[in-house]
């Protein structure tokens, strides 16, 4: 499985990423060894994810989510 996820950082900002192992990736982020963006904004909390069969689909969706405004991301998270 391929996942696209949104994290809420300690400073209330949102981070969007891609992984094949959601649990492991969240642990890596919170250990301060994830993306440079999240390292200074710990702890992070998983607030949203989607899964896809192919890496291509997931990366396309990640790109689309990263281009949303903060308000649009919040609406996506809230459903």
């Amino acid at each position: 499985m391929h996942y696209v996820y949104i994290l809420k950082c300690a400073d209330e900002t949102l981070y969007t990423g891609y992984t094949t192992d959601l649990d492991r990736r969240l642990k890596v982020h919170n250990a301060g060894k994830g993306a440079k963006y999240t390292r200074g904004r710990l702890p992070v909390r998983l607030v949203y994810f989607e899964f896809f069969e192919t890496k291509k689909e997931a990366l396309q969706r990640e790109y689309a989510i990263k281009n949303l405004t903060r308000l649009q991301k919040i609406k996506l998270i809230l459903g």
Side-chain angles (χ1 to χ4, degrees), residues 7-72:
L7 303 176
K8 183 177 249 184
C9 301
D11 65 357
E12 300 294 315
T13 59
L14 300 173
Y15 172 83
T16 303
Y18 158 83
T19 188
T20 57
D21 186 338
L22 205 48
D23 291 330
R24 179 189 56 78
R25 189 65 177 146
L26 185 58
K27 289 175 185 170
V28 169
H29 276 295
N30 275 317
K33 297 178 181 180
K36 188 175 183 180
Y37 182 85
T38 61
R39 286 182 206 153
R41 296 170 169 86
L42 298 175
V44 297
R45 184 170 51 95
L46 180 68
V47 293
Y48 182 82
F49 72 91
E50 296 177 12
F51 60 92
F52 299 88
E53 292 294 324
T54 69
K55 182 177 182 177
K56 181 179 178 180
E57 290 174 307
L59 291 176
Q60 287 174 337
R61 181 62 172 150
E62 178 193 24
Y63 180 80
I65 291 173
K66 284 184 173 186
N67 283 295
L68 297 176
T69 65
R70 178 177 172 80
L71 182 58
Q72 289 170 322

